[in-house]
């Protein structure tokens, strides 16, 4: 659905207008129907990549295909876009901005506008001027204008920023329901838990390079697991140092191969195993490890 | 085309609701009323004084709106990145810029029309009808279109403040063209005379949009003047709009 091929981008900067490359050949694909997270720390190049996909900023090299074609007005009609920290017009109301934007597309009526307003939870505030909107409300109206025309492809840049926990939950629900309708979604974030909860695939970028691409489930499954073992009773285990000790309880963290040894040792010391919990690396840990590799 | 219409309409509404716009408007009305008072103090035909002063107020209001409402509305879109949301819609950069131009220009139109009607009525109250006020308002409207294109061009590559400054300088210079030309005649050295005349020749001359004296004194204006003004307007607005689009398309957003 989206093909990004060897995209490079540089900006002119400073007094001498020196070129500074911020994207060093980014390539990835987004498959139809997938929910893909674009992950990366501040300044990694997420927004720049997204702007290039949306045709707002031209790449220096490489190309982007959306729906197998170069971006045009026609293809743009099938994309819904929510920019980073969206901002619209101060003296228009939420409803007016949606009405104006709906003129870009065919067959959008007031009913559809009301439906979208309700979906993003702005029904009450729809007739207030946007200058009185809070950051989270602007984020919501931004989401509304992206969903207005029921596009096939959705691109969101930092959609969760500015939203409160309830708002984030609502947003995740919106994404889930869009996914059920078979929409393709690409969104950037640095809130890893959110990505972990809703994405099928992740693309990690760091300093203008893709450092890892993968299906999230496999990525998490293939990562070395460890076990957390809670032990009660006498002394604990020999040869193992507990992570935590409180009252008569010990918490051990061991690798898979060490588990049998630990259990045996506890038994020999007359202790009781209270729980054995397998843990895999979180996305956050994978992310930090990948970044350190670079 | 659809995109131009949408942006023009949004810009127009945004402008008309802007507080500065309202403040300027009231300021202009107060100045117009002040002209009534002025006409009592100054020796001469009171209606001429009001007409002269009133048309001056119209010019002032036009330029104020272009510089303090129009230009900033464009700079703000770039700065607050509204433009990113808008350009993700099925619209090109050209259409966006032309839409802004028409939106700002319609703001100016509404204002000039209201001013002209008010001024006409003020003078009518004194028992005189000066239709020429509407002609002058229309010429001002054309002038402000060019100025808006110039402002959009400056706003595309520099800060809001500098764009204001540059546009204002442009306005002052093009109104001095005739003065510069005249001044060149009093120069003694033939070379400097030629240079200054050449400069004056290259500068746009906004006297094509100024009929204030003719209106005040009820002089006849040859129809050819209007033709020339209109052609001049078309050439300039197309030139500066193309320039503005060219600059804006190069802009890194
Ligand atoms: N218009 C610009 N001019 C100069 N440098 C720019 C411009 N836009 C972005 N950059 C630089 O490009 C790099 C990538 O920026 P980008 O906004 O894409 O990062 P990001 O991944 O979206 O970060 P964040 O998480 O903070 O939003 C940064 O180093 C930034 O300074
Ligand atoms: Mg960003």
């Amino acid at each position: 659905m989206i093909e990004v091929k060897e995209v490079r981008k540089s900006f002119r900067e400073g007094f001498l207008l020196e070129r500074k490359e911020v994207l060093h050949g980014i390539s990835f694909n987004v498959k139809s129907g997938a929910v893909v997270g674009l992950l990366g720390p501040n300044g990694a190049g997420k927004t720049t990549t997204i702007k290039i996909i949306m045709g707002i900023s031209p790449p220096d090299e490489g190309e982007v295909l959306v729906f197998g074609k170069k971006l045009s007005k026609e293809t743009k009609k099938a994309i819904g876009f929510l920019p980073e920290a969206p901002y619209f017009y101060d003296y228009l109301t939420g409803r007016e901005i949606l009405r104006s934007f709906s003129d870009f597309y065919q067959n959008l009526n007031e009913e559809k506008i009301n439906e979208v307003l309700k979906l993003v939870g702005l029904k009450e505030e729809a007739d207030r001027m946007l200058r009185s909107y809070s950051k989270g409300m602007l984020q919501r109206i931004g989401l509304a204008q992206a969903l207005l025309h029921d596009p096939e492809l959705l691109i969101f840049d930092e959609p969760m920023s500015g939203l409160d926990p309830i708002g984030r939950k609502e947003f995740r629900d919106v994404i889930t329901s869009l996914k059920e309708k078979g929409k393709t979604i690409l969104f950037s974030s640095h809130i890893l838990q959110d990505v972990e909860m809703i994405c099928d695939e992740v693309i990690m970028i760091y300093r203008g390079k893709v450092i890892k691409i993968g299906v999230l489930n496999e990525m998490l499954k293939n990562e070395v697991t460890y076990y957390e073992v809670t032990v009660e009773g006498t002394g604990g285990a020999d040869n193992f140092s507990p992570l935590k000790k409180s009252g008569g309880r010990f918490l051990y963290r061991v690798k898979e191969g060490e588990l049998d040894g630990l259990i045996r040792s506890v038994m020999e010391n007359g202790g009781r195993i209270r729980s054995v919990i397998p843990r895999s690396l979180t996305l956050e840990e994978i992310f930090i490890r990948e970044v350190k590799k670079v | 085309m659809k995109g131009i219409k949408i942006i023009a309409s949004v810009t127009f509404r945004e402008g008309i609701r802007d507080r500065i716009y309202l403040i300027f408007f009231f300021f202009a009305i107060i100045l117009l009323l002040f002209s009534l008072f002025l006409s009592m103090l100054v020796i001469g035909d009171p209606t001429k004084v009001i007409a002269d002063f009133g048309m001056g107020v119209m010019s002032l209001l036009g330029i104020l709106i272009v510089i303090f409402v129009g230009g900033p509305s464009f700079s703000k879109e770039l700065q607050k990145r509204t433009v990113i949301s808008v350009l993700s819609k099925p619209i090109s950069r050209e259409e966006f810029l032309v839409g802004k131009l028409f939106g700002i220009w319609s703001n100016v139109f509404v204002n000039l029309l209201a001013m002209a009607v008010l001024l006409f009525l003020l003078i009518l109250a004194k028992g005189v009808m000066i239709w020429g006020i509407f002609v002058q308002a229309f010429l001002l409207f054309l002038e402000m279109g060019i100025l808006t294109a110039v402002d959009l061009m400056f706003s595309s590559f520099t800060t809001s403040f500098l764009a204001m400054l540059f546009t204002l300088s442009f306005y002052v210079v093009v109104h001095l063209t005739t003065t510069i030309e005249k001044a060149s005649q009093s120069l003694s050295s033939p070379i400097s005379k030629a240079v200054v005349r050449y400069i004056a020749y290259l500068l746009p001359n906004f006297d094509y949009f100024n009929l204030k004296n003719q209106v005040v004194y009820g002089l006849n204006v040859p129809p050819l003047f209007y033709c020339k003004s209109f052609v001049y307007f078309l050439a300039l607005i197309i030139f500066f709009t193309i320039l503005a689009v060219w600059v804006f398309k190069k802009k890194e957003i």
Side-chain angles (χ1 to χ4, degrees), chain B residues 5 7 30 55 61 73 77 83-84 95 98 107 110-111 114 116 134 167 190 250:
Chain B
K5 217 177 100 196
I7 298 304
I30 289 168
M55 286 187 290
L61 191 69
S73 94
E77 295 217 22
V83 63
I84 294 178
E95 288 171 316
V98 174
N107 279 159
V110 170
N111 238 298
F134 292 102
T167 311
K250 286 193 172 267

Short mmCIF file of all heavy atoms in Angstrom, two decimals, chain B residues 5 7 30 55 61 73 77 83-84 95 98 107 110-111 114 116 134 167 190 250:
data_model
loop_
_atom_site.label_atom_id
_atom_site.label_comp_id
_atom_site.label_asym_id
_atom_site.label_seq_id
_atom_site.Cartn_x
_atom_site.Cartn_y
_atom_site.Cartn_z
N LYS B 5 -11.30 27.67 -3.96
CA LYS B 5 -12.54 28.17 -3.36
C LYS B 5 -12.59 27.90 -1.86
O LYS B 5 -12.95 28.76 -1.06
CB LYS B 5 -13.74 27.49 -4.05
CG LYS B 5 -14.93 28.40 -4.23
CD LYS B 5 -16.05 27.70 -4.98
CE LYS B 5 -17.10 27.20 -4.00
NZ LYS B 5 -18.00 26.21 -4.60
N ILE B 7 -10.07 27.34 0.26
CA ILE B 7 -9.09 28.13 1.00
C ILE B 7 -9.51 29.60 1.05
O ILE B 7 -9.40 30.27 2.09
CB ILE B 7 -7.68 28.01 0.37
CG1 ILE B 7 -7.22 26.55 0.42
CG2 ILE B 7 -6.67 28.90 1.07
CD1 ILE B 7 -7.20 25.95 1.80
N ILE B 30 -14.22 56.13 12.52
CA ILE B 30 -13.96 57.30 13.35
C ILE B 30 -13.25 58.38 12.54
O ILE B 30 -13.58 59.56 12.59
CB ILE B 30 -13.14 56.92 14.60
CG1 ILE B 30 -14.04 56.12 15.54
CG2 ILE B 30 -12.58 58.14 15.30
CD1 ILE B 30 -13.33 55.44 16.67
N MET B 55 -11.19 59.43 0.96
CA MET B 55 -10.52 58.47 0.05
C MET B 55 -9.13 58.13 0.56
O MET B 55 -8.65 57.01 0.36
CB MET B 55 -10.51 59.03 -1.37
CG MET B 55 -11.89 58.96 -2.01
SD MET B 55 -11.91 59.41 -3.74
CE MET B 55 -11.62 61.16 -3.63
N LEU B 61 -6.86 52.18 5.02
CA LEU B 61 -7.50 50.97 5.54
C LEU B 61 -7.12 49.76 4.69
O LEU B 61 -6.82 48.69 5.22
CB LEU B 61 -9.01 51.16 5.53
CG LEU B 61 -9.75 50.08 6.29
CD1 LEU B 61 -9.48 50.21 7.76
CD2 LEU B 61 -11.23 50.18 6.03
N SER B 73 -1.96 36.31 8.11
CA SER B 73 -2.78 35.09 8.06
C SER B 73 -2.05 33.99 7.28
O SER B 73 -2.18 32.81 7.57
CB SER B 73 -4.15 35.37 7.46
OG SER B 73 -4.18 35.12 6.08
N GLU B 77 -0.14 30.50 8.97
CA GLU B 77 -0.37 29.14 8.50
C GLU B 77 0.93 28.37 8.35
O GLU B 77 1.00 27.18 8.60
CB GLU B 77 -1.09 29.15 7.15
CG GLU B 77 -2.47 29.74 7.25
CD GLU B 77 -3.47 29.05 6.36
OE1 GLU B 77 -3.25 27.90 5.97
OE2 GLU B 77 -4.48 29.70 6.05
N VAL B 83 -0.72 24.72 7.34
CA VAL B 83 -0.47 24.42 5.94
C VAL B 83 -0.22 22.93 5.72
O VAL B 83 -0.57 22.37 4.68
CB VAL B 83 0.70 25.31 5.44
CG1 VAL B 83 1.99 24.99 6.15
CG2 VAL B 83 0.87 25.23 3.96
N ILE B 84 0.35 22.26 6.74
CA ILE B 84 0.61 20.84 6.59
C ILE B 84 -0.70 20.05 6.52
O ILE B 84 -0.85 19.18 5.66
CB ILE B 84 1.50 20.33 7.75
CG1 ILE B 84 2.88 20.98 7.62
CG2 ILE B 84 1.62 18.82 7.73
CD1 ILE B 84 3.84 20.61 8.71
N GLU B 95 -2.69 26.22 -5.83
CA GLU B 95 -4.09 26.48 -5.48
C GLU B 95 -4.20 27.08 -4.09
O GLU B 95 -5.00 27.98 -3.84
CB GLU B 95 -4.91 25.19 -5.56
CG GLU B 95 -5.14 24.72 -6.97
CD GLU B 95 -5.75 23.32 -7.01
OE1 GLU B 95 -5.29 22.44 -6.25
OE2 GLU B 95 -6.68 23.12 -7.79
N VAL B 98 -3.11 30.78 -4.28
CA VAL B 98 -4.10 31.60 -4.97
C VAL B 98 -5.37 31.73 -4.12
O VAL B 98 -6.00 32.78 -4.07
CB VAL B 98 -4.40 31.02 -6.38
CG1 VAL B 98 -5.53 31.77 -7.05
CG2 VAL B 98 -3.15 31.08 -7.24
N ASN B 107 -11.58 40.10 1.78
CA ASN B 107 -11.62 40.90 3.00
C ASN B 107 -11.50 42.38 2.67
O ASN B 107 -12.27 43.21 3.16
CB ASN B 107 -10.46 40.54 3.94
CG ASN B 107 -10.74 39.29 4.75
OD1 ASN B 107 -9.83 38.66 5.23
ND2 ASN B 107 -12.00 38.94 4.89
N VAL B 110 -14.74 43.78 0.92
CA VAL B 110 -15.86 44.09 1.81
C VAL B 110 -15.62 45.42 2.51
O VAL B 110 -16.51 46.27 2.63
CB VAL B 110 -16.04 42.96 2.84
CG1 VAL B 110 -17.02 43.35 3.92
CG2 VAL B 110 -16.50 41.70 2.14
N ASN B 111 -14.38 45.59 2.96
CA ASN B 111 -14.04 46.79 3.68
C ASN B 111 -14.11 48.04 2.83
O ASN B 111 -14.67 49.06 3.24
CB ASN B 111 -12.62 46.65 4.20
CG ASN B 111 -12.61 46.80 5.68
OD1 ASN B 111 -12.97 47.85 6.17
ND2 ASN B 111 -12.26 45.75 6.36
N ALA B 114 -17.72 48.91 2.03
CA ALA B 114 -18.40 49.52 3.16
C ALA B 114 -17.95 50.97 3.34
O ALA B 114 -18.76 51.87 3.55
CB ALA B 114 -18.12 48.73 4.43
N ALA B 116 -16.68 52.96 1.05
CA ALA B 116 -17.14 53.78 -0.07
C ALA B 116 -18.60 54.17 0.13
O ALA B 116 -18.99 55.34 -0.07
CB ALA B 116 -16.95 53.04 -1.39
N PHE B 134 -16.87 55.51 -5.85
CA PHE B 134 -16.90 54.06 -6.11
C PHE B 134 -15.85 53.66 -7.13
O PHE B 134 -15.27 52.57 -7.05
CB PHE B 134 -18.30 53.64 -6.56
CG PHE B 134 -19.31 53.77 -5.45
CD1 PHE B 134 -20.19 54.83 -5.41
CD2 PHE B 134 -19.34 52.83 -4.42
CE1 PHE B 134 -21.09 54.96 -4.37
CE2 PHE B 134 -20.24 52.95 -3.37
CZ PHE B 134 -21.12 54.02 -3.34
N THR B 167 6.65 44.82 2.39
CA THR B 167 5.44 45.18 1.65
C THR B 167 5.16 46.67 1.79
O THR B 167 4.81 47.35 0.82
CB THR B 167 4.23 44.37 2.15
OG1 THR B 167 4.60 43.01 2.21
CG2 THR B 167 3.05 44.52 1.22
N PRO B 190 23.64 64.58 -17.05
CA PRO B 190 22.76 63.78 -17.94
C PRO B 190 22.78 62.29 -17.62
O PRO B 190 21.78 61.60 -17.81
CB PRO B 190 23.31 64.06 -19.34
CG PRO B 190 24.66 64.65 -19.14
CD PRO B 190 24.70 65.25 -17.78
N LYS B 250 9.20 26.49 -3.53
CA LYS B 250 10.56 26.13 -3.11
C LYS B 250 10.67 26.03 -1.60
O LYS B 250 11.65 25.52 -1.07
CB LYS B 250 11.55 27.20 -3.59
CG LYS B 250 11.80 27.12 -5.06
CD LYS B 250 13.01 27.98 -5.41
CE LYS B 250 13.40 27.77 -6.84
NZ LYS B 250 14.37 26.80 -7.10
#
